[in-house]
Amino acid sequence: MTALRLGGYALLAVAGVLVGAAGALVQAAWFPGGLLLALLAVAGLCYGGVKATGARMGGGVPAGAWTVAVLLLTSSRSEGDFLFGAGLGSYAFLLGGMFIGVMCATLPLVPQPPGPPVRLGK
């Protein structure tokens, strides 16, 4: 693994943490639209990581960082405050984001067959 690839994975991990923190705030602020926006951000980051790196790890690293960040944000503070409320939107964000991350991290990478880019039989 090269230093450039490691740097790309580190950048994807930081982006995963940022998307998790932003999504935690947005999904509750603008409920139906914010939830959809937060889940689309997770999907875009994970799928974009797969396409940018050309490896499944490109989707797994931001998904793992997102999951860790969101699970740490669900814990209560000593004052008793929570960042997530106990509503349907919060659970949809947590479970939906994890589902999307796993889906993007396990996408099959099917290589294109070698040959000229023409239609067969013509």
Side-chain angles (χ1 to χ4, degrees):
M1 205 179 276
T2 65
L4 182 62
R5 186 171 287 269
L6 284 174
Y9 288 147
L11 189 64
L12 284 171
V14 169
V17 169
L18 293 176
V19 167
L25 298 173
V26 168
Q27 62 89 20
W30 306 314
F31 173 58
L35 176 63
L36 182 63
L37 181 66
L39 290 175
L40 284 174
V42 174
L45 176 64
C46 293
Y47 187 70
V50 169
K51 288 299 181 184
T53 61
R56 290 180 184 171
M57 183 76 79
V61 168
W66 180 90
T67 302
V68 169
V70 169
L71 288 178
L72 287 176
L73 290 173
T74 60
S75 64
S76 64
R77 296 181 11 193
S78 61
E79 294 88 16
D81 296 336
F82 288 99
L83 189 59
F84 286 96
L88 183 63
S90 298
Y91 291 118
F93 176 65
L94 291 170
L95 296 176
M98 288 180 197
F99 179 73
I100 288 170
V102 168
M103 219 170 47
C104 290
T106 58
L107 281 174
L109 297 174
V110 181
Q112 294 296 319
V118 296
R119 291 179 62 185
L120 298 176
K122 295 281 178 177

